[in-house]
Amino acid sequence: MAHYFEIKKNKKGEFVAYFKYNSETIFWTEGYSSKASAKNAIESIKKNGPPAETREAE
């Protein structure tokens, strides 16, 4: 799939959900204290946009 969500930690240690298209970041969410909150943000976005898979950076 050319587009996907990726959850990564930022420099502050917060979880951020990034939306990428062809590996280029298109937009990102605010930082969340838990991965579950970042996943909830993705689910909210998916309700109003096209489907995309979710990837978690190691």
Side-chain angles (χ1 to χ4, degrees):
M1 209 174 239
H3 58 280
Y4 57 91
F5 288 97
E6 181 175 69
I7 298 172
K8 299 192 299 188
K9 278 191 173 183
N10 64 14
K11 291 179 182 179
K12 294 180 182 179
E14 301 168 319
F15 293 95
V16 179
Y18 295 85
F19 181 79
K20 296 189 172 194
Y21 183 80
N22 290 332
S23 299
E24 183 178 340
T25 300
I26 304 300
F27 68 86
W28 57 91
T29 65
E30 62 184 284
Y32 295 98
S33 59
S34 71
K35 189 182 287 186
S37 293
K39 287 181 179 182
N40 286 339
I42 290 171
E43 292 307 313
S44 177
I45 293 165
K46 285 180 175 182
K47 286 181 183 178
N48 297 306
E53 65 182 277
T54 301
R55 298 181 186 173
E56 294 182 26
E58 297 298 321

